[in-house]
């Protein structure tokens, strides 16, 4: 089918005005060109759309049938174009975010609140899940973007770095480390260690730190959630090595965070989206907001 949107609009103008001359003036088209466009349309449809006399132009039965359908087509097209414009202008849409529980609780609430004040027409959905689920959700399209730290080996995702995050020592206020400005990894030898389970990327980095410092890695407690590790530290059951953003979870507890040195181990907190999919205007707008809140999680909060 070789019918164009322009031909349909031209046909509807003639049908509404009942005149080729008036329709050509409205459309800003020469009358001979308009007449030829209608003849081409009729040839494509294999029916006459208008009965033409020297005095008037009237729709045929086929023309009236086509007018009803063509009007709906143009209305739907205009609605679709308006919808795309609203998405592009971030006035309407949906944003689905996947993030690990701690980042979902300490970074995203204020970021989402600010985002929705600026773009109230965009609905936001948040899933607080593990890293593997985040990556799979983004790859499959169940989530538009994901927040967290991800292995360089992960394929099918594109990363936007938000902030560089370092591992820190977390101790209670009675710990010998409480008054230190910086703690060396070697000083952690023989300390009761509270760590995350092996399915956590943080756990792998902690093991690397102990290996580089050439001290044995012997966890006293292994837990799933960062908040649980912080609570055990506050109870005086040991120390924990956690990311900088865990400071937000320790803010109202008797727990201090201390930078770790020799070595310094850091990683990127990133916003990810699926490779090969265009980034929606909503994700682009949200990235700038969440980056600002992620960058507020700095060691200045340690004490």
């Amino acid at each position: 089918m070789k019918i164009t949107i322009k031909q349909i609009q031209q046909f509807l103008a003639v049908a509404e005005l009942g005149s080729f001359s008036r329709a050509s003036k409205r459309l800003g088209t020469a009358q001979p060109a308009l007449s030829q466009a209608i003849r081409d349309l009729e040839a494509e449809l294999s029916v006459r759309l208008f009965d033409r006399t020297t005095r008037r132009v009237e729709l045929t039965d086929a023309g009236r049938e086509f007018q009803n359908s063509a009007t709906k087509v143009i209305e739907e097209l205009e609605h679709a174009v308006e919808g795309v414009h609203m998405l592009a202008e971030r006035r309407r849409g949906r944003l689905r975010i996947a993030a690990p529980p701690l980042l979902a609780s300490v970074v995203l609430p204020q970021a989402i609140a600010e985002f929705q004040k600026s773009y109230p027409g965009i609905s936001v959905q948040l899933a607080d899940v593990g890293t593997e689920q985040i990556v799979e959700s983004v790859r499959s399209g169940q989530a538009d973007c994901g927040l967290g730290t991800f292995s360089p080996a992960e394929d099918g995702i594109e990363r936007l770095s938000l902030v560089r995050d370092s591992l820190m020592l977390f101790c209670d206020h009675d710990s010998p480390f409480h008054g230190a400005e910086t703690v060396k990894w070697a000083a952690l030898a023989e300390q009761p260690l509270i760590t995350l389970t092996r399915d956590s990327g943080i756990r792998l980095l902690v093991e690397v730190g102990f290996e580089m410092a050439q001290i044995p890695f012997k966890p006293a407690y292994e837990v799933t959630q960062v908040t649980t590790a912080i609570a055990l530290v506050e109870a005086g059951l040991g120390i924990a090595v956690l990311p900088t953003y865990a400071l937000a979870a320790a803010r109202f507890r008797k727990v201090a965070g201390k930078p770790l040195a020799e070595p310094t181990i850091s990683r990127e907190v990133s916003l990810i989206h699926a490779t090969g999919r265009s980034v929606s205007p909503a994700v682009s707008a949200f990235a700038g907001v969440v980056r600002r809140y992620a960058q507020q999680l700095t060691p200045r909060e340690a004490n």
Side-chain angles (χ1 to χ4, degrees), residues 199-237:
D199 58 355
S200 166
I202 297 171
R203 164 68 174 262
L204 176 61
L205 290 177
V206 174
E207 291 183 6
V208 169
F210 273 78
E211 182 178 351
M212 293 179 69
Q214 299 182 341
I215 54 177
F217 180 79
K218 297 179 180 179
Y221 297 92
E222 296 180 78
V223 297
T224 302
Q225 300 294 334
V226 170
T227 50
T228 306
I230 293 290
L232 295 178
V233 170
E234 183 183 36
L237 295 174

Side-chain angles (χ1 to χ4, degrees), residues 73-122:
V73 168
I74 295 300
E75 287 175 350
E76 286 296 322
L77 178 61
E78 289 174 348
H79 179 72
V81 170
E82 181 184 5
V84 171
H85 285 163
M86 290 181 74
L87 287 175
E89 295 166 7
R90 306 179 183 96
R91 290 188 285 128
R92 190 181 72 185
R94 179 180 62 182
L95 177 62
R96 298 167 298 181
I97 311 165
L102 183 58
L103 281 175
S105 65
V106 302
V107 174
L108 291 182
Q110 293 302 316
I112 292 173
E114 178 179 323
F115 177 79
Q116 293 214 293
K117 284 181 181 178
S118 299
Y119 308 105
I122 298 178

Side-chain angles (χ1 to χ4, degrees), residues 60-76:
T60 63
D61 288 343
R64 278 188 289 272
E65 178 69 22
F66 186 67
Q67 182 186 30
N68 292 333
S69 299
T71 299
K72 293 177 182 177
V73 168
I74 295 300
E75 287 175 350
E76 286 296 322

Side-chain angles (χ1 to χ4, degrees), residues 4-11 27 29:
T4 67
I5 296 297
K6 184 176 181 180
Q7 281 178 312
I8 295 174
Q9 291 171 325
Q10 290 170 326
F11 161 78
L27 297 171
T29 303

Side-chain angles (χ1 to χ4, degrees), residues 287-298:
V289 176
V290 75
R291 171 181 276 160
R292 187 167 65 258
Y293 282 94
Q295 291 174 344
Q296 291 176 8
L297 300 177
T298 66

Side-chain angles (χ1 to χ4, degrees), residues 14-295:
V14 176
E16 178 189 347
L17 298 174
S19 166
F20 277 87
S21 62
R22 287 196 295 270
S24 64
K25 289 178 181 178
R26 173 189 285 184
L27 297 171
T29 303
Q31 186 170 330
L34 178 59
S35 297
Q36 184 61 51
I38 298 301
R39 284 195 293 271
D40 292 343
L41 179 60
E42 290 175 324
E44 184 65 31
L45 294 172
S46 300
V47 295
R48 287 183 63 84
L49 297 173
F50 296 102
D51 286 327
R52 304 163 177 84
T53 70
T54 56
R55 294 183 178 181
R56 66 183 186 277
V57 174
E58 293 183 350
L59 286 166
T60 63
D61 288 343
R64 278 188 289 272
E65 178 69 22
F66 186 67
Q67 182 186 30
N68 292 333
S69 299
T71 299
K72 293 177 182 177
V73 168
I74 295 300
E75 287 175 350
E76 286 296 322
L77 178 61
E78 289 174 348
H79 179 72
V81 170
E82 181 184 5
V84 171
H85 285 163
M86 290 181 74
L87 287 175
E89 295 166 7
R90 306 179 183 96
R91 290 188 285 128
R92 190 181 72 185
R94 179 180 62 182
L95 177 62
R96 298 167 298 181
I97 311 165
L102 183 58
L103 281 175
S105 65
V106 302
V107 174
L108 291 182
Q110 293 302 316
I112 292 173
E114 178 179 323
F115 177 79
Q116 293 214 293
K117 284 181 181 178
S118 299
Y119 308 105
I122 298 178
S123 66
V124 179
Q125 299 174 2
L126 173 60
D128 50 346
V129 295
T131 298
E132 289 186 7
Q133 290 173 278
I134 295 170
V135 173
E136 182 55 34
S137 294
V138 170
R139 283 180 185 148
S140 66
Q142 293 179 327
D144 300 302
C145 61
L147 180 68
T149 56
F150 307 97
S151 167
E154 293 283 5
D155 58 5
I157 57 174
E158 302 292 332
R159 299 164 176 80
L160 172 65
S161 177
L162 301 177
V163 67
R164 191 82 186 170
D165 179 82
S166 299
L167 292 184
M168 301 186 74
L169 170 71
F170 287 78
C171 62
D172 68 281
H173 289 184
D174 294 327
S175 168
F177 300 121
H178 184 261
E181 292 291 328
T182 303
V183 178
K184 295 180 181 180
W185 281 82
L188 306 186
E190 306 303 324
Q191 291 290 324
L193 178 66
I194 301 161
T195 187
L196 301 183
T197 52
R198 289 184 177 274
D199 58 355
S200 166
I202 297 171
R203 164 68 174 262
L204 176 61
L205 290 177
V206 174
E207 291 183 6
V208 169
F210 273 78
E211 182 178 351
M212 293 179 69
Q214 299 182 341
I215 54 177
F217 180 79
K218 297 179 180 179
Y221 297 92
E222 296 180 78
V223 297
T224 302
Q225 300 294 334
V226 170
T227 50
T228 306
I230 293 290
L232 295 178
V233 170
E234 183 183 36
L237 295 174
I239 59 162
V241 178
L242 299 168
T244 303
Y245 60 75
L247 288 167
R251 186 179 299 136
F252 301 112
R253 293 185 176 274
K254 295 179 180 179
V255 173
K258 304 295 175 179
L260 279 167
E262 298 182 20
T264 297
I265 297 179
S266 62
R267 59 188 190 156
E268 297 284 348
V269 177
S270 304
L271 192 73
I272 63 170
H273 65 88
T275 299
R277 288 197 186 98
S278 59
V279 179
S280 72
V283 171
S284 297
F286 183 70
V289 176
V290 75
R291 171 181 276 160
R292 187 167 65 258
Y293 282 94
Q295 291 174 344

